[in-house]
Amino acid sequence: MSETVQDKVDFLVIANRLPVDRKVDDDGNVSWQSSPGGLVTALEPVMQRKGGAWIGWHGAPDEVVDPFHHDGYDIHPVPLSAQEVEEYYEGFSNATLWPLYHDCVVEPVFHREWWDAYQKVNKRFAEQAAEQAAEGATVWVQDYQLTLVPMYLRQMRPDLRIGFFLHIPFPPIELYSRLPWREELVEGLLGADLVGFQTPGAAANFLRLAKRRPGVTTSRGKAHTRDGRDVIVRDFPISIDSRGFHELATSEKVQAEADKLREDLGNPETIIFGVDRLDYTKGLRQRIRAVGELFKEGKLDPDEVVFLQLATPSRERVEEYKILRDDINLLVGQINSKVGTIARRALVYRNKSVPRDVLAAMYQVADLMLVTPVRDGMNLVAKEYIACRSNDDSALVLSEFAGAARELKQAYMVNPYDIDGMKATIMQALTDSPKVKARKMRSMRRQVFDKTIDVWADDFLTELEGR
Ligand code: GDG
């Protein structure tokens, strides 16, 4: 395959961010390295096979970066100004749509200037794709930052096959209807041939809204548009590179890392673990409160049990995230001042990201995994734990409000708003017999190793290209 950027391609992915991170060495030489996300792992082989291109922002404002060839496919960086990052990304995407789509767990903020920027940037992404796509190409648009792209792209290039996948929940009509631009976003998605969601419930919520558009009718899993097209609407639950995670977690390097980690934590009998982006949708306040109370009440003994919580910094310039960070720091401080000792803390809280092998080691040592979002599209952490942890004497506590709860039915299910219920379930997960836990783990492992990220990508593209 050629090493130069192609003029036109048959397969394009459009996402807010590129799948590569820039590295600058000591001599100032610039190189780009694949960012190790699930989406990249799933789509790289597809793009290499089809000769594809990825369109997205490279992460630095006010800078134009020329397209380049990377690892078998083309990269087309889309420039964003500092003001656009503030208004389109931090504003409309992360302070309007993100909370609105997560059941308004914090109040969504509506600003007309943010909406203007959102439209402008979505148009730019669509224009870039229209330029790069060969006749009849397949274009796969990712996530809530780019909801208008299918509509713009169809106006520019009706010959394309356009798919859209939403990684986050899609809210019920009663909440969605607050959005001043609710019609426009529904029209945006109806520009696609296929709209995928994480769960059937999200797909049903969208179909209910589509049906309200003038001239649009719906029938099982389809919206029929004014211009006579059928838009398929259904769920495609996303997954992970299960084998890749398992191999990493059982490698010698990670085993050594796991031994070191256990030692660093003071070789406790039981390790409880949580890992999330520091986001208010992840239920951290409730989770930390529940575990803190169990320590305070003496149900968990700090001489035997450690709760390790990793919270990866996220969206730090958005107001609600600053508030959350301060709240959690305070809560952790309060708990640790009452239980445990300075030498041995009950709650080990780390507010920084770790390399993937360290994360795999954390999954490996975790006897109990807590995944308790108040709302989550899927939640990959739950699946990663199942793929990495090889000991059968393990348990996953999972919120019923995560998309993953539909598939990981054998998890210990909780309602994160019910702190007493969550405490009781955590204790049950810790004290159930090894036989019960082993049965649950085996069943969830089957699920996670059967339905991998490749299956997800294949399902979506087969449906899209079969049209
Ligand atoms: C959105 C939706 C949906 C976290 N800390 C570190 C680290 N991570 C990795 C995890 C996992 C990923 O980040 C988080 O994925 P989630 O699915 O849990 O959550 P979101 O970021 O909110 O993702 C979600 C997902 O899209 C996919 O469609 O499931 O519902 O909200 O992979 O492992 N990775 C490393 N170090 C860390 O410190 N290396």
Side-chain angles (χ1 to χ4, degrees):
M1 190 173 287
S2 129
E3 285 300 300
T4 52
V5 173
Q6 301 167 81
D7 189 27
K8 303 275 179 213
V9 294
D10 289 322
F11 180 63
L12 285 114
V13 170
I14 317 181
N16 175 59
R17 284 301 296 271
L18 287 175
V20 286
D21 292 321
R22 181 166 32 196
K23 295 269 176 314
V24 184
D25 70 13
D26 293 344
D27 299 330
N29 300 319
V30 174
S31 67
W32 295 86
Q33 290 175 6
S34 296
S35 24
L39 198 61
V40 185
T41 314
L43 296 181
E44 259 183 354
V46 185
M47 307 231 292
Q48 285 161 359
R49 203 166 61 231
K50 293 176 189 270
W54 192 303
I55 291 173
W57 181 45
H58 50 281
D62 292 322
E63 185 193 36
V64 176
V65 179
D66 286 337
F68 56 95
H69 193 77
H70 169 83
D71 235 358
Y73 59 99
D74 294 342
I75 300 274
H76 290 271
V78 178
L80 293 182
S81 69
Q83 191 177 352
E84 284 165 349
V85 173
E86 208 177 308
E87 297 182 345
Y88 142 79
Y89 180 66
E90 291 162 355
F92 199 80
S93 298
N94 287 329
T96 306
L97 294 184
W98 179 269
L100 180 74
Y101 283 30
H102 286 88
D103 285 357
C104 301
V105 291
V106 313
E107 199 62 36
V109 181
F110 302 117
H111 280 313
R112 283 167 285 184
E113 314 80 70
W114 291 358
W115 165 241
D116 292 341
Y118 186 82
Q119 293 174 87
K120 193 166 141 206
V121 170
N122 270 245
K123 202 165 273 167
R124 189 176 307 148
F125 274 82
E127 279 162 358
Q128 180 72 261
E131 207 162 293
Q132 251 56 68
E135 179 72 22
T138 299
V139 184
W140 192 357
V141 186
Q142 308 287 330
D143 229 359
Y144 63 103
Q145 303 92 348
L146 301 174
T147 319
L148 298 173
V149 169
M151 175 184 74
Y152 290 144
L153 201 49
R154 176 149 316 272
Q155 287 162 0
M156 295 170 199
R157 291 286 305 271
D159 60 298
L160 302 178
R161 243 183 260 257
I162 306 170
F164 178 93
F165 183 74
L166 186 72
H167 290 255
I168 67 175
F170 193 84
I173 200 164
E174 291 76 7
L175 292 176
Y176 181 83
S177 300
R178 291 188 197 181
L179 184 69
W181 309 282
R182 57 196 183 190
E183 284 91 4
E184 287 90 333
L185 290 196
V186 174
E187 290 293 340
L189 290 185
L190 287 173
D193 296 294
L194 170 61
V195 184
F197 295 91
Q198 300 276 26
T199 62
N205 285 346
F206 176 70
L207 274 174
R208 253 184 94 194
L209 274 166
K211 198 173 168 181
R212 292 195 164 187
R213 302 295 310 132
V216 176
T217 56
T218 59
S219 58
R220 272 174 304 136
K222 271 189 195 148
H224 315 283
T225 64
R226 277 184 295 284
D227 54 352
R229 291 179 304 111
D230 275 349
V231 182
I232 297 180
V233 178
R234 58 161 268 225
D235 62 305
F236 294 87
I238 201 168
S239 191
I240 57 163
D241 174 16
S242 315
R243 265 164 281 281
F245 264 106
H246 181 74
E247 275 162 28
L248 177 67
T250 48
S251 67
E252 262 175 43
K253 185 173 176 231
V254 169
Q255 291 298 342
E257 187 73 50
D259 291 343
K260 184 169 159 287
L261 177 65
R262 229 181 253 116
E263 182 97 24
D264 287 351
L265 294 173
N267 285 315
E269 258 167 55
T270 304
I271 297 174
I272 304 178
F273 180 44
V275 52
D276 313 78
R277 276 186 308 100
L278 186 48
D279 193 297
Y280 50 78
T281 60
K282 301 293 182 184
L284 282 157
R285 290 185 175 96
Q286 291 87 339
R287 184 189 315 163
I288 293 172
R289 197 165 295 137
V291 177
E293 285 183 18
L294 288 171
F295 275 117
K296 283 187 211 153
E297 290 160 8
K299 295 191 174 115
L300 295 179
D301 178 354
D303 285 332
E304 290 171 3
V305 182
V306 168
F307 174 31
L308 170 66
Q309 174 67 53
L310 190 65
T312 314
S314 182
R315 304 176 190 168
E316 291 184 300
R317 283 155 41 126
V318 180
E319 191 54 32
E320 283 294 338
Y321 291 74
K322 295 182 193 158
I323 298 173
L324 177 70
R325 193 180 52 192
D326 293 348
D327 279 6
I328 298 292
N329 282 337
L330 199 69
L331 198 56
V332 170
Q334 280 167 353
I335 294 168
N336 276 335
S337 68
K338 295 208 180 83
V339 290
T341 59
I342 295 193
R344 179 149 195 158
R345 283 165 299 158
L347 216 157
V348 176
Y349 176 65
R350 296 188 187 159
N351 183 202
K352 60 173 199 274
S353 71
V354 297
R356 223 161 111 95
D357 48 352
V358 175
L359 178 62
M362 289 175 170
Y363 286 136
Q364 227 350 318
V365 301
D367 302 291
L368 175 66
M369 183 79 207
L370 299 183
V371 179
T372 61
V374 290
R375 179 57 73 195
D376 216 330
M378 176 55 60
N379 196 294
L380 299 180
V381 164
K383 295 187 175 182
E384 290 167 8
Y385 174 65
I386 301 297
C388 285
R389 171 82 173 171
S390 34
N391 188 338
D392 267 350
D393 192 4
S394 317
L396 169 67
V397 167
L398 179 60
S399 164
E400 59 189 76
F401 303 126
R406 281 188 46 85
E407 295 172 283
L408 303 177
K409 293 203 170 71
Q410 292 293 321
Y412 289 88
M413 241 27 116
V414 291
N415 165 4
Y417 293 102
D418 174 9
I419 304 279
D420 284 338
M422 193 150 55
K423 284 162 64 182
T425 306
I426 290 172
M427 290 315 294
Q428 183 174 358
L430 285 171
T431 51
D432 259 354
S433 75
K435 213 169 136 198
V436 169
K437 292 198 211 176
R439 189 161 33 79
K440 286 172 173 288
M441 285 300 283
R442 279 200 293 269
S443 146
M444 290 192 284
R445 243 180 246 134
R446 263 197 303 278
Q447 156 70 35
V448 168
F449 283 96
D450 272 3
K451 296 271 186 272
T452 59
I453 183 83
D454 309 324
V455 173
W456 172 79
D458 282 353
D459 277 358
F460 190 96
L461 290 172
T462 306
E463 180 83 70
L464 179 59
E465 295 187 334
R467 294 175 41 84

